[in-house]
Amino acid sequence: MEQYRHEMKIEINASDAAAIRQRLRFVASSDPHAQNGRYEIRSLYFDTPTNRALYEKLDGINRREKFRIRYYNGDLSLIHLEKKCKYNNLTAKRSEEISKMEAQALAAGDTSWMLSKGHVLAAELYRKMKTQQLRPKTIVDYTREPFVYAPGNVRVTLDYHIRTGMLCTDFLNPDCPTAPVGDEIIILEVKWDAFLPDIIRDAVQLEARRCSAFSKYAACRIYG
């Protein structure tokens, strides 16, 4: 059963990011897993031949899901298969660890390992690869600055340097060519459980900025 959390996204500029970063340093903590306050993320997203996940996002479908595999800071010793569910402004994520060999096989379309004992999420993806023809679609790279605040289980992130793998799905290849998605985009994301503390709400408040439906996956589909 997925545990849903509230999520807010806002497209901001470099000046906004600098102000929010300064405020958060006084009230929140940097994620302990970050290196020098940030980390690099690489994801490989899956979609159907008719681009169901993409068009459900673009059409604003209230209930949708996406599958991806992901690792951090180029570390191939820890790779996760993830399923992200969205319902209105609520999100949930399920995750399970897979090996480098399993990730390579999945990126290459080899599903033979996916029904192995213990791979519950992989088994679900396997079924959907068979029934919906889900396949690796595009690589998404970006830099993330994460902040955490214990009351409300709040997580605030600044995401930028977003790059697309274009038509390359060679997920584990560090030399896979990537390209910026366009003008420099910075995404402020705020996630929380039952309540968002006022101290964090104030820290991320910006005049003339409104919640956004920005999707890094959709942006990275610019080349197909």
Side-chain angles (χ1 to χ4, degrees):
M1 184 73 177
E2 285 84 4
Q3 178 65 46
Y4 281 88
R5 284 160 53 80
H6 297 271
E7 179 182 81
M8 175 176 66
K9 292 184 182 182
I10 304 174
E11 291 185 53
I12 62 176
N13 58 35
S15 177
D16 297 330
I20 288 174
R21 185 182 295 116
Q22 186 68 17
R23 295 176 203 161
L24 288 172
R25 284 173 178 165
F26 284 103
V27 300
S29 303
S30 179
D31 186 318
H33 297 101
Q35 299 177 3
N36 298 317
R38 61 180 60 88
Y39 44 71
E40 305 299 323
I41 298 176
R42 167 163 285 192
S43 301
L44 175 62
Y45 283 83
F46 293 74
D47 210 336
T48 68
T50 57
N51 297 310
R52 175 178 174 178
L54 175 62
Y55 286 113
E56 285 186 345
K57 171 61 183 178
L58 296 177
D59 292 340
I61 302 300
N62 286 335
R63 190 183 293 272
R64 56 188 187 270
E65 66 181 29
K66 288 197 295 282
F67 285 87
R68 66 194 179 202
I69 48 178
R70 169 174 288 190
Y71 60 89
Y72 298 84
N73 295 322
D75 181 5
L76 301 182
S77 68
L78 183 61
I79 303 173
H80 286 98
L81 167 63
E82 299 179 345
K83 174 187 176 183
K84 185 174 182 181
C85 301
K86 181 85 171 180
Y87 178 62
N88 291 331
N89 292 322
L90 300 173
T91 63
K93 185 175 73 173
R94 289 171 53 204
S95 176
E96 72 183 24
E97 187 175 341
I98 60 175
S99 70
K100 178 181 176 180
M101 291 182 61
E102 290 166 343
Q104 184 65 62
L106 185 54
D110 178 2
T111 62
S112 60
W113 61 274
M114 297 180 72
L115 296 181
S116 302
K117 184 178 180 181
H119 278 309
V120 177
L121 189 56
E124 180 182 349
L125 177 57
Y126 174 88
R127 291 192 297 272
K128 291 178 179 179
M129 290 179 76
K130 296 301 182 183
T131 59
Q132 301 176 14
Q133 298 299 303
L134 280 174
R135 292 293 183 271
K137 189 63 71 167
T138 193
I139 289 172
V140 177
D141 287 347
Y142 60 96
T143 300
R144 167 165 283 179
E145 287 186 50
F147 298 86
V148 294
Y149 187 76
N153 189 24
V154 178
R155 183 175 182 81
V156 182
T157 57
L158 297 169
D159 295 342
Y160 48 88
H161 295 163
I162 303 168
R163 301 179 66 86
T164 173
M166 298 177 284
L167 300 180
C168 175
T169 57
D170 194 0
F171 177 63
L172 301 183
N173 179 5
D175 297 322
C176 178
T178 62
V181 297
D183 294 335
E184 179 63 20
I185 300 169
I186 304 174
I187 304 300
L188 167 67
E189 292 189 13
V190 186
K191 297 184 177 73
W192 67 96
D193 286 347
F195 69 98
L196 179 62
D198 288 342
I199 194 170
I200 298 296
R201 190 183 301 276
D202 292 343
V204 300
Q205 187 69 38
L206 292 167
E207 291 188 14
R209 300 292 182 194
R210 297 292 181 266
C211 290
S212 166
F214 184 88
S215 163
K216 289 183 281 290
Y217 169 64
C220 285
R221 290 294 309 279
I222 185 173
Y223 295 109

